Amino acid sequence: MPRKLVAGNWKMNGLRQQLSELDALYKAKSDASVGILICTPATLIESAAALMAPGAVKIGGQDCHANIAGAHTGDVSAEMLADAGATAVIVGHSERREDHGESSDMVRAKAVAAHRAGLTAIICVGETLAQREAKNTLDIIGGQMAASLPDGCNRENTIVAYEPVWAIGTGKVASTKEIAQIHNFVRERLIRRFGEEDGAEISLLYGGSVKASNATDIFATDNVDGALVGGASLAADDFLPIIKALENTA
Ligand code: PGA
């Protein structure tokens, strides 16, 4: 069975005072059947990781540069994230692909960097509304997977997140039928490329407007091993019920 995980993506939100949200999560956490990861802004990783250690709640980054170090003003390397206490990093989020023009080739280089630094790469794929309406969803997801996932992905170092772009931050959620179709497709591709042993065990997260009210149905869907949660990860009161919902299906 792939590992069950709820990952929070704080995006560009969070000042030090918000670390009390993590404290609440930490105290409430009792069931080890579900992993919890919070991807904070880079500025908070070190203090969040210190606050959580040693604990069930892990801390991650939201992006990394492909290189170890060098003249890349404003960028942060995977090694720096690991040094600050991160255990994972999101790469290829649609907001990075869109706002920063990141291609799947760049995403793959970032995933290689994450693996090099000993971080789990959470590699995001997802179609836009126009691509869905043009009935190109599977082609887009298949293409993003082929180009964004490096060789050497395995169940320890990689998680794939399917996030339809039109469902992110919009309150629109893909139907469980749509989610099942894509997740089954992603699973098949993972097995074909990385073999039964790893392909069947890489965790597959759904993301896009996941909240307490829809989490149970989403988690009951085929090949959904958890969620990547944006808005509803910012407050423990919203995030904890999502973790509970996954624990109840685990
Ligand atoms: P959302 O964001 O839960 O706010 O839709 C999800 C994401 O972008 O990872």
Side-chain angles (χ1 to χ4, degrees), residues 31 38-39 63 85 95 109 111 128 141 162 164 189 205 208 211 221:
D31 186 336
I38 311 285
C39 297
D63 176 51
E95 287 154 14
T128 63
I141 304 295
Y162 167 57
R189 289 288 164 109
L205 310 182
K211 41 188 183 289
T221 305

Side-chain angles (χ1 to χ4, degrees), residues 9 11 93 95 163 167-169 208-210 228-231:
N9 174 10
K11 308 191 179 184
H93 190 282
E95 287 154 14
E163 299 203 305
I168 295 176
S209 299
V210 175
L228 181 54
V229 183

Side-chain angles (χ1 to χ4, degrees), residues 21-33:
E21 293 294 342
L22 291 181
D23 219 15
L25 272 177
Y26 182 51
K27 291 203 180 93
K29 178 70 191 143
S30 57
D31 186 336
S33 64

Side-chain angles (χ1 to χ4, degrees), residues 153-174:
C153 287
N154 62 45
R155 65 179 114 172
E156 300 298 335
N157 67 16
T158 301
I159 290 168
V160 175
Y162 167 57
E163 299 203 305
V165 178
W166 48 271
I168 295 176
T170 58
K172 290 184 193 146
V173 191

